[in-house]
Each structure stands twice: as C-alpha cells, then as structure tokens.
Amino acid sequence: MSQEFIEIRGARENNLKNVSLRIPKRKITIFTGVSGSGKSSIVFDTIANEAQRQLYENFSTFVRNFLPRYSQPDADAIENLNMAVVVDQKRLGGGSHSTMGTITDIYSVLRLLFSRIGQPFAGYSNAFSFNDPQGMCPECGGLGRKIGVDLNKFLDTSKSLNEGAILYSEYAVSSWSWNNVIQSGLFDADKKLSDYTSDEMELLQHSKPHKFQLMMGNKAFNLTFEGIVDRFSNKYITRDVKSYSERTQKSVEPFMTYGPCTLCKGARLSQAALSCKINGRNIAELSAMEVDELIAVIREIKDPVAAPMVNMLVERLQHLIDIGLEYLSLNRETDSLSGGESQRVKIVKHLTSSLTDVVYIFDEPSVGLHPRDVHRMNELLQKLRDKGNTVIVVEHDPAVIQVADYVVDVGPAAGSGGGQIVYEGSYEGLLQAETITGRYMQRSLPVKDHFRSAKGHLSIQKANLNNLQNVSVNIPTGILTAVTGVAGSGKSSLINQVFLEQYPEAIVIDQSAVGVNIRSNPATYTGVMDDVRKAFAAANNVSASLFSFNSKGACENCQGLGVIYTDLAYLEGVKTPCEVCCGKRFKDEVLAYKFNDRSISDVLDMTVDQALDFFETKEIVRRLQAMSDVGIGYLKLGQPLSTLSGGECQRIKLASELHKKGSVYVMDEPTTGLHMSDVSHLLAIMNRLVDAKNTVIVIEHNLDIIKNADWIIDMGPEGGTKGGQVIFEGTPAQILETEHSLTGDYLRYEVGLVPAN
C-alpha cells in the first residue's frame, strides 16, 4: 500500500511562518528544535486542535455544549487527519478518591475478581469500591484517613471575638463572616474565649444553622449563623479539600489535622470488603503492593473462573512495568504523581485499546525518566506504531529521537526567529543536517575535571519518609550538587520533602505550573511590570495604576484584555480585537503618556532583549537580564503566558527566581523542555549562582548536568521499596569508578568507557 500523509498547508499559528508539511501515517514522527521554535504550534495548536475540533463537530449541538471548545487553527488546509489522542504532561488530578488503580481501570478488574472468587462473598463489584457507599468505610467515607480541625491553630482562646480570637482568615475582624458571628447575637464579643462556658464554646463551634435578621439602613436581611468549625468542615473536609484550587488548599491545610481512620486503618473500605480474601489477602493488601510484586501474586491465582480477569490484570500490570512504573502501587493517589509519571500512566490506558489508525500525540514522554528507562518508552512508542497507528512526538532527548521513522526539525531559532521547517527526513539525515539539532545530536559535554570544595554541609538525619530507608546524608554547601537515581528511587522525597521541611528558606524552582491566564505575561510574572509602571508614573507625574491594564488604565470597552469575547451559547465563541484600543489594552489618555518617546503599549510590544537596550533603570535591567540569561530574550514583554511552550514556562520561572537573594537553590529537573543546545546555557547559570556563594542542589537525569556537578548524591539502587538508599556520594570522576550505580553505568557509557547495559 502506498504511503499516506497528513498534509498541512499554510499554517500560521503563533510564530509559524506559512508552514506546509507532510507527515507520514503509521510511522513515528518526532518533532525537534529549540524551545519556542514552533514545535508545539504545529503539533498541538494545529494538528491536535483541528483533529479534536472536527471530531466534536460530529456530535449534536446539545452534546457539544458539554465538550471542550476548539477554535479552527490558522492554516490554509489540514487534510487526511485521523482521530487524535493527546498524551500530555499535565498532572492527573481527581482528588483523594482517585488512585493509580482507578485511573487505569486496573482496580475495576481487581474488584470484579474479588466479587467472583473472593471468600467469604462480600457482594458484587461495587462492594469493593471506596467511591461507592456500598464499599466505602462508613467512618472515613472512603478516604482512609480522618481529617479534623486543629482547634489550637483555629482559635486563640486568650482573645475575645473583637480581638481576633478566630485565627482562620475568613473570620478576620471586620470581615463578612466575622460580622455574621457578631451580629447573630449569640455571643459576648468582648469576652475572652477562655472564659466561655462549655455550652458557649459548643455553640460557637458546632451550632446548628441559626437564622437571624440584620438591619442595613431601612432594610432587613435574613442571615444564618452556623458553628464555625462545622462550617469549615462542611466546606473543606466533607467536600474533600483536594477538589479546591492549590491556593485554597494551602490556605486551609494549616488548620487541619490528619490521621489514619480508626476503623479501616487506612484501607478505605468497609469491614465486609476487607474480610473477603483471595489466597489469604484482601483487596486493600493487594492494592498496597508495588506493581512488580503484585503481578507475581496475581499470577498465582489458578481458579479457572478467574482466568480472563487474571490475564487482563497481568497484561495491564506488565504495561506499567514496561513503562518504568513498577515501583508504584495501585493505591497511590493520582495527584501525588509527577508530570512524567502522570504521562506514563495515561499511556498505559491506551496500550490496551483495540483502536487502530489513531494519531497518538506525545509531549516529551522521556520527562522524569532515567537514561536506563528511556529504551522502555521507545519500545512502547514502537508498539503503538506497529498496531497501525500514527505516532507524533515532541522531544528533546537524543535517545528518543533516534527511534524516529521521520524527523521534522523546526527553527532555526526561537520566537520570531523560528516558525520554519529547517529539516525533514530520516534520523540519519538529521545527523548530517546543518541545523542546531543536527549539530548537537552527537555533541556531548565532557566530564568536569576540577571540582569546588564544600564550605560546610546541610545535614539530613535518619529520614524515613515514603520509601527512604533511614537515610542520613550531608549536602555540601557552596557547590553544585546533583541528586540522581532512577524514577522512584527517593530523590524527590529526600530533597523536595525532607530537606525543604528542614530548610524552608531555600528558593525552590520546581515543575509546578506557571499561572497562564490571559492577563499574565513575562513582564507581570517576573515583576518587571511594577518597576516599568513606576518609571512611567515618575516621568509623567501621574499615578502608577494608570499604566496597568488590570486597573485604572484599562480600556473600558475590553477591560484591558485587548480582545472582545462573543459567547454564541452552544456554538464556539468568537474572539475579535477590541475596536476601541485596537488590541493595545489601554485607554487613549494612557497611551498619550510617554517614557523616552515610547508608550506603555510600545514597551509591552518589545522583546526582552529590546527592552534591555531601552531601559537604564537598575532594577528593571536586573530583572530583564535574568530573562535574557535563561535564553528567553526573544519573548515579548506583553506576550500572554498561555502562548508559551513548556520549556519557556520553565525558564521564565527560573528567571523570576534568579534575582532573589538566597543562599540555597533547589531545582527539580530544570532541563525539562530544554533543547540540547540550551543545557550548557543552564549550566552557566547554575555555575554563576554557585560562584556568587550560593548552594545549588539539582534533581536531574540529564547526563550533561550530572557530569558537570561538583558533587553527586545517587539514590537507589532501584525504585520503590528497592530504593530509598544513598548508594554513592562523591564527584563525577569518582562515580565513573563505582559499581552498583545505574547512573555511573550510563555515565561510563556516555564517555565511551563501557557499552550500555
């Protein structure tokens, strides 16, 4: 059969410059190029967007009203598309009731197995579900833990209500909720809580809804007072605090206490479900096992009735092992998974699908993988292709790129300097191509040959969190330390949890999301905008708030958005430039004010590098220089963060932290989203921080970063219960001579000392 292609003509999304492209079907096509070159604009904003849009158009308008809305990409034509499945790096949410077992449907099969052959019989499949009233523990509602209100942090009994005795911010003095308590007439607002009778304290904390009237002017309003502890519990505990935003969670969690459920002991299930066993184990015990241990237990089940379910469980569990997640357990909550782990869990769901001729789109599937495990990912991509699917991957890792049937290199540079196809063809052809990717594919940084000496150390003693096995380690100060090891070995537990809990003053640059609403841009996120507004205000002798499109200076027609959104009910909404400000976001009177002959809109239209040449104010230059130093000098100051790639978001976060004064920096896989050519740039930034007498700790899999650290702490030897130990401490030169370190094995291979295992 002749080769078929997905065809794109005249694509112009974001920075794309009339891109035309043919992508072979039923092959692995990998998109490469520097961060911000336009890879995501082609793959996600054009191909995936149009595939989803056309699929949803097949549904009725009523059904489409409940589905995500996709606008038509800016392209002349996109032809021969198939249904697309997008597997991105977004972390799996789901709250406390979502686990790795439920999200992959493996737990559903396990429930069915127990309902068929478990003894004594406890009921049908839903009797083993902690999300179903028939199966959940009645004491904790299926959470496995009891959550309460910490009264010592919620109330200061040495104060009266008027003095701010309720410490939770929602009841701050003069707030609406505080006023509700006072106006209820139930309490003496000047009496210290320590002088309250037990009945008064019970009423304050647990009063049933009490209706009263509040006079405001000539009007009477009907209000209700409810006990402050019960109200807090109903709002944040009964409804599951994890269903709220991260900001809300952080604000309320200090007032909560956590402990295992006294009835189910953390198992989440009813006593009937827990009494039902197969070969001496209940379903909660199986769910708590690591996958590589669980698969052996499942294989021991020989009951002929169970054969179809056992075969399905073994197949799905094997997929988890093949993808490098053998150290996880089915009861692991999904919101505790990293971005890379979340992406690999999503892949498992698709590996069992019998659909063919699907377009699978992956966003850097190697994220979070040790070099030892990358070949596993490659095998899975090839399996999907061999089932008759088209696989499209955005990737920076040379070990993944080499399995491509077809490579599309986007560039030549980033931002306005990119948006073009600079190479199309085979992997072998890429190695000979005169592009940035082609030149760096076979280039590797040498192992560092001189190392800084530690100025002191930060000590961790007998850490046992998660899988850590009584770990004691000294982290050197004043140098660059790389914490390495396979996924699940305990790196994040050691640094992101134990270390940061002991040393909370450290500046953390992790993989948590950058706020990407339409009003956020590089200038506002990094704080440059505050100083720019002050500069404009001083030059024109007016208020600084005039130069904010979120405040007084905003165009009244579009409220500072620069565009008008027209809601067409159940049809797709329309976005058009504001006809009053023409997309500039500000009032005309604000645009009349100038700083060095430029308006505030002109400044927001500048790139970071252009703004560096324009401004002389020390604080502005310092922040702009930080952005330029991390390689995003091509971004416009006013460009919405929602249009940035993953690598750009990571670097803008790094830039926003670099200007801070702190002695300890913790970086969690900062090479995520970075092109090979940017790694040496990142190393230069790290070295600059260390040379300025800071301590830099980096959790990393990238071998170029590891080779150029002053000190390595290698965790392992494997993941999960087989990890959690420090198996090496020393310099990169010393780890090359160390046995029993997977990181050392791959470093030796990288420098040509031994073949890879």
Side-chain angles (χ1 to χ4, degrees):
M1 189 171 67
S2 61
Q3 179 64 58
E4 296 178 63
F5 297 87
I6 296 171
E7 298 197 20
I8 303 169
R9 293 195 296 276
R12 294 175 293 274
E13 279 295 315
N14 301 326
N15 68 333
L16 299 181
K17 296 172 180 173
N18 248 26
V19 166
S20 294
L21 182 64
R22 299 176 84 213
I23 300 170
K25 288 191 174 185
R26 304 172 196 92
K27 303 286 185 185
I28 298 175
T29 298
I30 295 186
F31 280 74
T32 62
V34 298
S35 181
S37 61
K39 306 183 299 297
S40 294
S41 296
I42 298 173
V43 174
F44 295 101
D45 299 337
T46 303
I47 298 172
N49 202 23
E50 181 64 2
Q52 299 281 39
R53 188 186 72 83
Q54 291 194 22
L55 174 66
Y56 290 167
E57 279 192 347
N58 291 302
F59 298 109
S60 68
T61 51
F62 175 78
V63 172
R64 276 154 49 198
N65 194 37
F66 299 97
L67 296 172
R69 296 175 183 177
Y70 294 92
S71 58
Q72 188 164 351
D74 188 1
D76 293 336
I78 306 169
E79 298 177 349
N80 303 329
L81 278 176
N82 299 74
M83 187 188 84
V85 174
V86 178
V87 186
D88 57 25
Q89 294 179 38
K90 291 178 182 174
R91 298 189 181 216
L92 291 165
S96 302
H97 286 277
S98 178
T99 65
M100 196 181 76
T102 61
I103 202 75
T104 58
D105 292 329
I106 295 175
Y107 190 70
S108 300
V109 182
L110 199 60
R111 290 193 290 113
L112 185 63
L113 179 70
F114 270 82
S115 70
R116 295 290 172 84
I117 66 168
Q119 294 296 329
F121 179 74
Y124 294 107
S125 177
N126 57 347
F128 298 90
S129 171
F130 47 79
N131 292 325
D132 189 292
Q134 293 189 49
M136 66 175 58
C137 170
E139 188 70 23
C140 64
L143 288 177
R145 58 184 184 270
K146 290 292 285 182
I147 307 175
V149 178
D150 188 338
L151 291 177
N152 292 327
K153 294 181 179 177
F154 203 81
L155 297 172
D156 182 350
T157 57
S158 68
K159 295 180 179 179
S160 67
L161 293 175
N162 279 337
E163 293 170 330
I166 306 175
L167 301 179
Y168 177 47
S169 58
E170 191 175 312
Y171 289 92
V173 174
S174 299
S175 67
W176 175 264
S177 296
W178 175 87
N179 198 52
N180 205 18
V181 177
I182 303 300
Q183 296 295 333
S184 68
L186 299 173
F187 310 101
D188 182 345
D190 292 315
K191 184 178 181 179
K192 296 188 185 304
L193 297 195
S194 57
D195 296 331
Y196 273 35
T197 65
S198 58
D199 287 344
E200 288 173 324
M201 190 62 81
E202 176 71 16
L203 193 64
L204 177 65
Q205 295 177 21
H206 305 293
S207 167
K208 300 295 182 188
H210 167 75
K211 297 185 181 299
F212 64 95
Q213 280 196 336
L214 175 65
M215 295 299 298
M216 295 183 68
N218 296 323
K219 288 189 176 181
F221 291 87
N222 293 318
L223 299 177
T224 302
F225 166 76
E226 182 182 9
I228 59 175
V229 171
D230 285 359
R231 186 168 183 266
F232 181 91
S233 297
N234 292 336
K235 192 172 181 181
Y236 299 114
I237 296 177
T238 306
R239 287 180 56 187
D240 186 5
V241 70
K242 288 188 177 181
S243 63
Y244 287 88
S245 69
E246 186 176 345
R247 182 179 177 182
T248 300
Q249 289 181 47
K250 285 182 178 178
S251 70
V252 302
E253 281 184 345
F255 301 97
M256 295 181 177
T257 57
Y258 296 86
C261 173
T262 53
L263 179 60
C264 69
K265 305 295 190 294
R268 296 173 172 250
L269 292 163
S270 68
Q271 294 303 297
L274 294 176
S275 67
C276 180
K277 297 183 178 182
I278 298 175
N279 293 346
R281 294 183 175 95
N282 64 35
I283 193 170
E285 290 168 331
L286 294 189
S287 297
M289 290 180 177
E290 291 182 5
V291 167
D292 57 352
E293 181 185 0
L294 175 61
I295 195 170
V297 172
I298 295 296
R299 283 184 172 130
E300 293 172 357
I301 300 173
K302 303 301 182 184
D303 190 319
V305 174
M309 291 163 281
V310 167
N311 292 338
M312 188 178 296
L313 285 169
V314 168
E315 180 190 12
R316 295 188 180 187
L317 291 170
Q318 189 61 50
H319 284 320
L320 287 170
I321 294 170
D322 292 342
I323 212 165
L325 296 175
E326 69 279 357
Y327 58 90
L328 295 180
S329 57
L330 296 186
N331 65 2
R332 175 79 174 264
E333 292 186 8
T334 52
D335 55 11
S336 72
L337 299 175
S338 69
E341 287 170 336
S342 295
Q343 189 175 28
R344 280 175 274 157
V345 167
K346 293 176 194 174
I347 295 172
V348 170
K349 293 188 68 174
H350 300 299
L351 286 172
T352 54
S353 171
S354 58
L355 291 173
T356 59
D357 223 359
V358 171
V359 178
Y360 284 98
I361 297 175
F362 295 92
D363 184 12
E364 282 194 82
S366 67
V367 167
L369 282 180
H370 190 273
R372 190 278 303 267
D373 298 319
V374 170
H375 74 277
R376 294 177 172 182
M377 174 61 65
N378 290 344
E379 289 168 2
L380 291 169
L381 297 178
Q382 290 165 329
K383 279 184 183 178
L384 285 172
R385 175 201 61 192
D386 295 343
K387 286 172 67 176
N389 299 303
T390 302
V391 179
I392 299 176
V393 185
V394 174
E395 188 54 82
H396 292 296
D397 191 328
V400 179
I401 297 171
Q402 68 183 10
V403 302
D405 300 309
Y406 196 74
V407 177
V408 178
D409 197 18
V410 187
S416 59
Q420 304 174 59
I421 306 300
V422 293
Y423 172 80
E424 291 179 73
S426 67
Y427 169 74
E428 292 72 23
L430 175 68
L431 300 181
Q432 308 301 320
E434 282 301 311
T435 67
I436 295 176
T437 304
R439 290 196 297 272
Y440 275 86
M441 278 298 295
Q442 301 184 79
R443 190 179 299 183
S444 175
L445 294 177
V447 177
K448 200 172 190 176
D449 56 7
H450 63 282
F451 309 100
R452 301 178 181 92
S453 298
K455 304 292 187 281
H457 66 265
L458 303 170
S459 181
I460 296 174
Q461 296 295 324
K462 298 182 178 178
N464 289 293
L465 184 72
N466 299 331
N467 69 329
L468 297 179
Q469 299 182 26
N470 215 34
V471 170
S472 295
V473 65
N474 290 327
I475 297 176
T477 57
I479 66 173
L480 172 59
T481 297
V483 182
T484 62
V486 298
S489 60
K491 305 183 299 298
S492 293
S493 297
L494 182 70
I495 302 301
N496 288 340
Q497 294 179 269
V498 176
F499 176 80
L500 289 179
E501 189 173 314
Q502 292 184 20
Y503 302 96
E505 70 279 2
I507 295 171
V508 181
I509 301 168
D510 59 16
Q511 296 179 45
S512 58
V514 172
V516 290
N517 66 63
I518 194 170
R519 294 183 181 273
S520 297
N521 57 47
T524 57
Y525 188 83
T526 59
V528 169
M529 195 61 186
D530 293 336
D531 295 302
V532 169
R533 291 192 296 111
K534 289 175 185 175
F536 268 86
N540 295 279
N541 198 27
V542 292
S543 169
S545 60
L546 274 177
F547 302 98
S548 169
F549 50 71
N550 296 322
S551 186
K552 293 180 181 178
C555 167
E556 292 176 352
N557 188 54
C558 64
Q559 275 72 54
L561 290 176
V563 293
I564 300 293
Y565 288 92
T566 305
D567 185 3
L568 300 180
Y570 49 80
L571 297 177
E572 187 179 330
V574 175
K575 180 177 73 174
T576 55
C578 173
E579 66 275 11
V580 174
C581 68
C582 300
K584 293 185 176 181
R585 296 184 163 204
F586 294 93
K587 298 175 183 176
D588 286 342
E589 64 183 88
V590 176
L591 296 176
Y593 294 116
K594 301 294 172 89
F595 179 84
N596 291 346
D597 295 326
R598 298 293 181 92
S599 71
I600 187 69
S601 180
D602 294 334
V603 168
L604 287 174
D605 200 44
M606 291 179 181
T607 65
V608 170
D609 288 337
Q610 288 171 340
L612 263 174
D613 293 333
F614 178 74
F615 286 103
E616 295 179 356
T617 307
K618 184 178 178 181
E619 188 63 23
I620 294 175
V621 169
R622 185 163 64 87
R623 293 174 188 263
L624 290 171
Q625 189 63 53
M627 283 194 274
S628 182
D629 287 347
V630 298
I632 51 174
Y634 59 88
L635 291 181
K636 289 187 176 181
L637 293 182
Q639 184 173 341
L641 293 186
S642 56
T643 66
L644 304 189
S645 69
E648 287 168 335
C649 286
Q650 183 87 343
R651 282 184 283 169
I652 204 168
K653 187 168 187 176
L654 178 59
S656 70
E657 304 287 355
L658 279 179
H659 70 276
K660 294 182 179 177
K661 295 179 180 178
S663 59
V664 180
Y665 282 80
V666 174
M667 300 184 184
D668 187 1
E669 291 191 60
T671 59
T672 299
L674 283 186
H675 189 265
M676 296 161 274
S677 61
D678 292 320
V679 172
S680 57
H681 205 116
L682 177 64
L683 265 172
I685 294 168
M686 292 178 180
N687 284 321
R688 195 182 78 195
L689 284 170
V690 176
D691 292 340
K693 298 185 171 28
N694 292 300
T695 297
V696 177
I697 304 164
V698 56
I699 301 171
E700 193 51 85
H701 292 296
N702 185 284
L703 294 177
D704 280 336
I705 297 289
I706 296 169
K707 285 185 293 186
N708 285 275
D710 297 305
W711 194 254
I712 295 173
I713 297 173
D714 195 35
M715 301 294 294
E718 290 287 345
T721 56
K722 301 179 184 68
Q725 304 172 54
V726 175
I727 57 175
F728 171 81
E729 295 178 77
T731 67
Q734 291 169 336
I735 200 173
L736 291 173
E737 302 169 0
T738 303
E739 296 182 359
H740 313 302
S741 165
L742 289 166
T743 303
D745 290 345
Y746 275 83
L747 279 174
R748 283 193 291 277
Y749 167 70
E750 178 84 359
V751 299
L753 294 178
V754 294
N757 290 339

